[in-house]
Amino acid sequence: MGFVSAVTPQPLDPLAVLERVCAVQNALLLTEAPERGLFDQMLRHFVELTRSEYGFIGEVRYDGDRPWLRSRALTDIAWDDATRAELARAGSEGLAFRNLDTLFGRVLRTGEAMIENDPPRSPFAAGVPRGHPPLRCFLGVPVRIGEAFVGMVGLANREGGYDPAVLSALAPLLGATSGLFYMLRLHEARLRAEAHVARRLAFERLILEVSSLFIDAEPAAVDGVIDEALARTGRFVEADRAYLFVLSDDGRTMNNTHEWCAPEIPPQRDALQRMRVDDFPWVFDILAAGGHVAVASLDDLPAEAAGFRASLEPQQIRSVVLVPVVHDGRLRGIVGFDAVAAPRRWSDEDASLLRVLADDIGNLLRRSRAARALAESEERFRLIASNVRHAFFLMNASYDQLLYVSPPFEDLWGMPCAALYADPLVWLSTVDPAHRAEVERTLAFSARRETVSEYRIRRPDGAWRWVRVQTLPVRDARGACVKVAGIAEDITE
């Protein structure tokens, strides 16, 4: 490849490179999150040191096995209103570059550095759009963390072109760029972990809230409580609709008895009555076997689901997940969640959370319609407790009377439930002395606000276990706390 200019390229000053590396490392030490400004600063160092006209730093991502590039820093070379608007819309998310039939695409395909000092003659160049600044020479360099190809630096239009000496001189700065991407990966992993923990805590809190709704529901208010439970679960999973279908006693038809819709999503309940179960054999074969149906796109449905698809299309449903409601070994109904505004791919975690939550709510919904007394409501609470691997408990507001504790308490604490009914605070004797004062302080606030605490207990067999306990005050119509509901889980592992 010949240089595009007769000008002899100036070598990079090693001292200047090291000064820029030190500046970047100092900036990394002073931040916990790799903000966009750090990538902008890094790109500025590359451009200034090489005396290039423009460039970019991009993060390598994949659609399956196909790589593409998400810009993390990009020289503003917008040349008209459309490109300026596109750059503004991208904002902190960056622009996506997916065309691999380009010079930078060659780097993405091979994972190797590329020097091209005569782009018009290159078999890998795709040219530039009308109005784009000219591309006279190009340097593309992969950024790696170990063996992983994580990023790329692209530079353009250095007077005299690029050569291996320039690439070699940039090695320390490329190493600092690798460190910046490493920090980005750590930061994103931490955010994912924090989001997972937050979602789990929110899920547990939702179980407590829904359980409390049904425990205190008066017979005349059951339908309203069902609607409220569907609304809370629908919002939690970010669905557009949440609904309950109940099968007839003979199992031949079903009715949409309750429905919640997000804003601007049209309701469908009135049109979904007396539906024949035999019209949807594909769906009911799966649900009757205890499975769930999760459809990200109607185009994913098999030919034998044609009747099911025909029922979804008039409702403008783009994605759907259905979970069976089972009582006494029989399919009694369906809890469903629709995505209407945009398609959605339901994750395995979504499906598992929906199965636990929807199955428990479905059991409560079905039984609550026949409930006429508080005792039956408390029995339904016991059904929830038996379907999840947590210990539920319900205390009066002063913590001197235990109203209910679920059987998993015995496995967790290693003591009989009867001991807790006899002395509601007997479990305090098992708390690690180092944690007890904090536990007692948390206990004092539980009738006023939601609490979450983690501490160590010692079982009668001498084994130490770590537990997380979350409590929620249950209030009457005047806002006064009348009970405290709680959930405890083993977090030792």
Side-chain angles (χ1 to χ4, degrees):
M1 304 175 211
F3 292 121
V4 297
S5 169
V7 176
T8 302
Q10 295 296 317
L12 270 62
D13 181 356
L15 182 59
V17 173
L18 290 177
E19 287 176 349
R20 302 298 179 108
V21 171
C22 289
V24 170
Q25 291 176 337
N26 288 336
L28 289 176
L29 291 174
L30 296 175
T31 184
E32 294 183 358
E35 299 173 353
R36 183 176 179 85
L38 288 178
F39 283 97
D40 290 334
Q41 178 183 340
M42 186 73 77
L43 178 59
R44 186 164 60 251
H45 293 326
F46 277 108
V47 170
E48 291 176 354
L49 284 169
T50 60
R51 298 183 179 86
S52 299
E53 290 184 4
Y54 57 87
F56 65 84
I57 298 177
E59 180 183 5
V60 178
R61 298 188 179 183
Y62 292 87
D63 288 334
D65 295 331
R66 183 179 176 84
W68 58 281
L69 207 64
R70 171 73 72 185
S71 68
R72 287 291 177 179
L74 184 68
T75 305
D76 187 353
I77 55 171
W79 57 90
D80 57 21
D81 290 343
T83 53
R84 280 188 285 273
E86 183 178 5
L87 199 62
R89 282 195 302 271
S92 60
E93 288 296 316
L95 294 173
F97 298 96
R98 299 179 182 273
N99 183 7
L100 299 185
D101 297 325
T102 58
L103 295 177
F104 78 81
R106 177 68 176 175
V107 180
L108 287 180
R109 287 180 182 274
T110 64
E112 298 176 356
M114 182 176 192
I115 297 173
E116 179 54 74
N117 288 315
D118 194 4
R121 299 177 184 274
S122 171
F124 307 113
V128 295
R130 181 183 299 275
H132 187 287
L135 181 64
R136 296 188 297 275
C137 56
F138 173 79
L139 171 65
V141 190
V143 179
R144 299 183 183 276
I145 299 176
E147 296 298 319
F149 182 15
V150 298
M152 177 181 167
V153 177
L155 299 169
N157 295 357
R158 179 176 189 252
E159 189 173 8
Y162 300 96
D163 58 21
V166 170
L167 185 58
S168 178
L170 290 175
L173 198 58
L174 288 167
T177 308
S178 176
L180 181 54
F181 274 107
Y182 181 71
M183 175 179 283
L184 176 66
R185 292 288 177 93
L186 288 179
H187 176 66
E188 291 178 342
R190 184 172 66 250
L191 291 180
R192 286 194 297 270
E194 291 172 352
H196 178 74
V197 171
R199 181 178 174 83
R200 187 67 194 179
L201 289 173
F203 171 62
E204 293 173 357
R205 185 175 188 276
L206 182 63
I207 291 177
L208 287 175
E209 290 178 345
V210 171
S211 301
S212 299
L213 283 175
F214 282 95
I215 289 170
D216 292 332
E218 296 292 338
V222 164
D223 284 340
V225 169
I226 291 174
D227 290 336
E228 177 64 16
L230 287 176
R232 294 190 188 191
T233 56
R235 285 192 289 264
F236 180 80
V237 301
E238 299 178 349
D240 292 320
R241 290 195 195 100
Y243 43 82
L244 171 66
F245 279 84
V246 175
L247 271 66
S248 60
D249 291 340
D250 61 11
R252 295 181 178 180
T253 62
M254 61 179 178
N255 294 322
N256 184 184
T257 58
H258 296 79
E259 177 189 49
W260 166 84
C261 296
E264 300 182 4
I265 300 298
Q268 300 293 328
R269 183 175 64 178
D270 291 346
L272 302 176
Q273 304 297 317
R274 300 287 299 172
M275 301 184 71
R276 286 168 40 87
V277 169
D278 288 346
D279 290 340
F280 312 102
W282 180 79
V283 171
F284 279 92
D285 284 348
I286 295 173
L287 297 179
H292 69 269
V293 175
V295 180
S297 168
L298 301 194
D299 292 335
D300 297 337
L301 288 169
E304 56 267 32
F308 181 49
R309 177 169 184 164
S311 71
L312 300 179
E313 288 176 335
Q315 302 174 61
Q316 299 180 321
I317 294 172
R318 306 176 74 173
S319 307
V320 62
V321 58
L322 303 175
V323 179
V325 177
V326 178
H327 294 304
D328 303 324
R330 289 182 54 192
L331 181 64
R332 305 286 187 171
I334 303 172
V335 175
F337 302 87
D338 293 343
V340 177
R344 167 171 176 179
R345 183 165 297 279
W346 307 95
S347 68
D348 290 341
E349 183 184 42
D350 286 335
S352 63
L353 290 177
L354 289 171
R355 170 174 283 279
V356 172
L357 190 58
D359 192 44
D360 290 340
I361 292 174
N363 279 289
L364 287 174
L365 300 179
R366 180 62 171 165
R367 290 179 175 267
S368 66
R369 295 182 65 86
R372 291 297 182 268
L374 179 60
E376 290 182 1
S377 293
E378 291 178 340
E379 178 60 26
R380 289 194 303 280
F381 182 90
R382 292 183 179 89
L383 288 176
I384 286 185
S386 65
N387 284 328
V388 295
R389 293 179 297 176
H390 300 75
F392 285 99
F393 59 89
L394 189 67
M395 309 282 289
N396 66 353
S398 57
Y399 262 81
D400 58 10
Q401 181 185 4
L402 176 66
L403 304 175
Y404 173 71
V405 64
S406 64
F409 168 82
E410 296 186 349
D411 294 332
L412 183 53
W413 253 268
M415 64 172 61
C417 293
L420 201 60
Y421 282 104
D423 180 2
L425 295 179
V426 67
W427 58 273
L428 276 174
S429 64
T430 69
V431 177
D432 187 336
H435 300 160
R436 181 157 178 166
E438 181 62 28
V439 171
E440 290 177 340
R441 281 195 294 271
T442 302
L443 200 62
F445 285 101
S446 60
R448 285 183 268 172
R449 57 175 171 79
E450 178 184 354
T451 68
V452 179
S453 57
E454 297 178 1
Y455 52 89
R456 196 167 70 150
I457 62 171
R458 188 164 191 169
R459 292 162 44 96
D461 60 8
W464 288 99
R465 308 299 293 174
W466 279 89
V467 298
R468 177 190 289 129
V469 179
Q470 184 174 4
T471 68
L472 183 74
V474 180
R475 306 184 184 281
D476 61 17
R478 295 171 296 177
C481 177
V482 292
K483 298 183 184 73
V484 175
I487 182 173
E489 65 173 316
D490 188 336
I491 61 170
T492 305
E493 294 303 321

